[in-house]
């Protein structure tokens, strides 16, 4: 019997004990800043002269770590190690593989604040967001281990007289995990360990702005008994290491989370059958969103305002699920807009590694800062600036939460993924019109409807074309095992991370018919 798992609880930082423990973790991590980190290939730690410099985005003069950078030669070495390890790892009892995940989850749970503190320093996360990121990483480990225990004996199918038929799952082979910086621990861990517990081996290429927390995760996996070569840590350039591994004939699958542009490039390259390749590569891709909260004229307007504010500006809007579009019924448009502006003006922005007084920290790096500020200028041409619109990158990459009103549904601000603290408001004449606007993008990741009209909610259930739809709450904060996550259209392959089907993407079914 597989024991159900309840998700890892979040930390209440209003309690003095928790607050003080987190401050201690921040001080611990501060003492570790500036260290050198190696690659890990086949269990061997390899230092290179070429380094990725991981900076604190809230204080860009502060270096979190210097991380060795893989090249094609080292990527090939990692591929060989992963391929060799697969020969034995695939034969492990799935329950034994699951036990490694349980052990790793336990170790991370005991060091939860430490990992969250790394996220504060390396990703600029506020305490609440960092704590949720670490909790989600634990959830992925626990959930996928249990899912593998459910799948390990296959699924019962029909047999006949003198014939026994079985339907079981076997692993694919060597895969590449390319993980993002915004959920630098949770998504990185989940997209690595899901394929691994299914019996595959992995080359992990973490985001170049957050490689240190990925290295810390590697340490936990090794301490938990993961055999050498099952996960190989190969941070490096996407154009060099990423392309080489995606194209490699021994690559069986690519597990990618990131931008639409990079995802489409991977999808296209993976479709080509290279010399020596004897399979079609699988691509699991989560590529972004342009997410909408719809508010009708029969809703709790305070709930609506809070949902929009929290969903738009949590972690500075740097979530593929973030609310970047608010579509409001014309009868309540002005009132909802005013309430959101009021709530937004109360939000605080600044460094989060000093204390827990700031709601928002920095955006990811100079590139993210420049991109968001470009959209601020676009917004000034396309809509009415209600609040925000200011940025300061003199010390860190800080941008004020920004609201634009009266934006045309087809404007760039309503169509293009910004990945920053900007939300655009658009007016709908009725609920049908609101759903029409909600569906008018190339994405289909998350959405929410705020309404007390059950008929409207049921209509949205059928017509709002997104992978994750929420009623009377915000459109972010999916929990592993509760809201399996992934989207439609250009949001990706709808992988449903944290769901019952996720591991099947890294397994292949095998039917055996035995006559007797």
């Amino acid at each position: 019997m597989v024991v159900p798992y309840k998700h890892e609880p979040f930390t209440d930082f209003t309690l003095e004990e928790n607050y003080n423990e987190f401050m201690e973790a921040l001080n611990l991590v501060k003492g570790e800043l500036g260290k050198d980190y190696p690659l890990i290939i086949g269990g061997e730690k390899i230092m290179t002269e070429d380094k990725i410099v991981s900076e604190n985005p809230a204080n860009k003069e502060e270096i979190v770590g210097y991380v060795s950078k893989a090249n094609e030669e080292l990527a090939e070495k990692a591929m060989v190690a992963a391929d060799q390890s697969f020969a034995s790892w695939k034969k492990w009892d799935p329950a034994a593989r699951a036990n490694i995940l349980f052990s790793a989850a336990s170790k991370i749970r005991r060091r939860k604040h430490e990992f969250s503190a790394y996220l504060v320093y390396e990703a600029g996360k506020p305490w609440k967001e960092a704590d949720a990121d670490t909790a989600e990483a634990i959830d992925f480990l626990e959930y996928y281990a249990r899912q593998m225990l459910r799948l390990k004996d296959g699924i019962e199918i029909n047999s006949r007289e003198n014939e026994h038929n079985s339907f079981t799952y076997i692993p694919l082979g060597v895969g590449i995990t390319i993980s993002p910086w915004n959920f630098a621990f949770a998504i990185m861990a989940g997209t690595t360990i899901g394929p691994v517990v299914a019996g595959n081996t992995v080359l992990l290429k973490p985001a170049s702005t957050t490689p240190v927390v990925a290295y810390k995760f590697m340490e936990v996996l090794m301490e938990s008994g993961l055999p050498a070569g099952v996960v190989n840590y190969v941070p490096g350039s996407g154009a060099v290491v990423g392309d080489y591994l995606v194209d490699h004939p021994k690559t069986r699958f690519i597990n990618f989370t990131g931008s639409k542009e990079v995802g489409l490039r991977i999808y296209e390259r993976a479709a080509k059958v290279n010399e020596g390749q004897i399979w079609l590569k699988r691509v699991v891709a989560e590529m972004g969103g342009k997410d909408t909260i719809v508010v009708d004229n029969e809703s709790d307007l305070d709930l609506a305002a809070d949902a929009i504010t929290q969903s738009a500006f949590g972690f500075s809007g740097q979530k593929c699920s973030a609310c970047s579009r608010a579509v409001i019924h014309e009868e309540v448009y002005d009132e909802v807009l005013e309430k959101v502006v009021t709530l937004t003006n109360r939000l605080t922005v600044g460094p989060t590694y000093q204390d827990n007084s700031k709601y928002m920290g920095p955006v990811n790096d100079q590139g993210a800062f420049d991109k968001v500020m470009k959209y601020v200028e676009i917004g000034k041409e396309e809509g009415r600036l209600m609040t925000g619109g200011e940025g300061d990158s003199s010390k860190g990459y800080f941008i004020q939460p920004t609201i634009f009103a009266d934006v045309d549904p087809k404007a760039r601000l309503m169509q293009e993924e910004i990945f920053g603290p900007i939300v655009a408001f658009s007016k709908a004449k009725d609920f049908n019109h609101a759903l029409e606007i909600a569906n008018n993008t190339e994405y289909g990741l998350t959405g929410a409807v705020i309404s007390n009209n059950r008929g409207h909610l049921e209509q949205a259930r059928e017509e709002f074309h997104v992978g994750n739809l929420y009623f009377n709450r915000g459109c972010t904060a999916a929990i592993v095992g509760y809201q399996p996550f992934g989207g439609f259209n250009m949001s990706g392959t709808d992988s449903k991370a944290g769901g019952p089907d996720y591991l099947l993407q890294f397994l292949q079914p095998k039917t055996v018919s035995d006559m007797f």
Side-chain angles (χ1 to χ4, degrees), residues 101-414:
L101 271 63
F102 289 136
S103 175
S106 180
K107 287 177 170 58
I108 295 167
R109 190 176 287 113
R110 289 194 292 270
R111 296 167 54 193
K112 185 179 181 184
H113 291 336
E114 178 189 343
F115 277 98
S116 297
Y118 271 105
L119 292 168
V120 170
Y121 271 103
E122 193 170 37
K125 289 207 163 187
W127 293 18
K128 177 183 176 181
E129 298 281 350
D131 182 72
D133 196 329
T134 303
E136 187 174 21
I138 295 170
D139 284 345
F140 277 132
L141 290 162
E142 293 275 1
Y143 183 80
Y144 290 152
R146 284 168 171 77
Q147 287 304 116
M148 195 61 227
L149 294 178
R150 288 187 170 93
L151 291 170
K152 68 183 182 67
D153 297 322
I155 296 175
E156 185 176 349
I157 57 175
N158 293 330
S159 293
R160 297 181 294 195
E161 186 178 357
N162 300 326
E163 176 189 84
H164 179 264
N165 300 314
S166 64
F167 185 89
T168 56
Y169 296 103
I170 62 174
L172 297 175
V174 179
I176 317 302
T177 286
I178 302 173
S179 61
W181 52 262
N182 63 332
F183 285 86
F185 192 16
I187 295 179
M188 178 274 301
T191 54
T192 300
I193 215 65
V196 163
V197 77
N200 304 287
T201 55
V202 165
L203 282 72
L204 168 60
K205 195 190 92 61
S208 293
T209 56
T210 54
V212 174
V213 71
Y215 182 85
K216 292 294 176 181
F217 178 60
M218 286 294 301
E219 288 183 329
V220 170
L221 293 181
M222 292 186 293
E223 291 167 6
S224 301
L226 190 72
V230 173
V231 178
N232 301 273
Y233 173 74
V234 286
S237 163
V240 178
V241 174
D243 284 354
Y244 181 79
L245 294 176
V246 167
D247 295 345
H248 202 289
K250 291 193 181 233
T251 296
R252 187 63 180 81
F253 64 89
I254 301 102
N255 199 6
F256 168 78
T257 306
S259 70
K260 183 194 80 172
E261 290 73 22
V262 176
L264 292 178
R265 188 167 185 272
I266 288 172
Y267 207 76
E268 182 178 10
R269 295 182 79 102
K272 181 181 178 181
V273 177
N274 292 285
E275 185 177 352
Q277 182 179 328
I278 60 172
W279 45 61
L280 300 177
K281 295 172 183 174
R282 290 190 186 178
V283 176
V284 178
E286 200 278 275
M287 304 193 306
K290 191 64 180 173
D291 310 297
T292 307
I293 293 182
V294 170
V295 181
D296 74 1
N297 59 339
E298 299 179 61
S299 62
D300 182 331
L301 301 189
D302 290 323
L303 170 64
D306 185 67
I308 293 168
T309 306
Q310 300 295 324
S311 299
F313 302 125
F315 188 40
S316 303
Q318 297 178 117
K319 303 177 183 181
C320 52
S321 60
C323 172
S324 59
R325 308 177 353 137
V327 177
I328 317 296
H329 192 289
E330 61 185 10
E331 290 181 8
V332 295
Y333 179 87
D334 291 337
E335 188 174 354
V336 172
L337 177 60
E338 181 182 353
K339 286 178 180 292
V340 175
V341 170
T342 299
L343 290 176
T344 300
N345 287 337
R346 295 173 186 166
L347 302 180
T348 53
V349 181
T352 57
Y353 61 89
Q354 297 171 338
D355 55 39
N356 195 32
S357 62
K358 301 297 189 292
Y359 179 82
M360 280 171 47
V363 294
N364 182 54
D365 59 8
Q366 187 69 55
F369 180 88
D370 293 342
K371 177 184 177 182
V372 175
M373 293 308 297
K374 181 192 76 173
Y375 276 103
V376 168
E377 296 307 310
I378 291 170
K380 290 177 181 177
E381 297 177 359
E382 294 185 336
R384 178 164 52 105
L385 178 63
M386 300 299 297
T387 188
E390 298 177 353
D392 181 359
S393 62
S394 57
K395 186 173 183 180
Y397 306 108
F398 298 102
I399 298 176
Q400 295 297 317
T402 301
I403 299 172
F404 287 100
D406 308 338
V407 182
D408 186 277
K410 295 182 180 179
R412 292 182 65 186
L413 217 62
M414 288 285 286

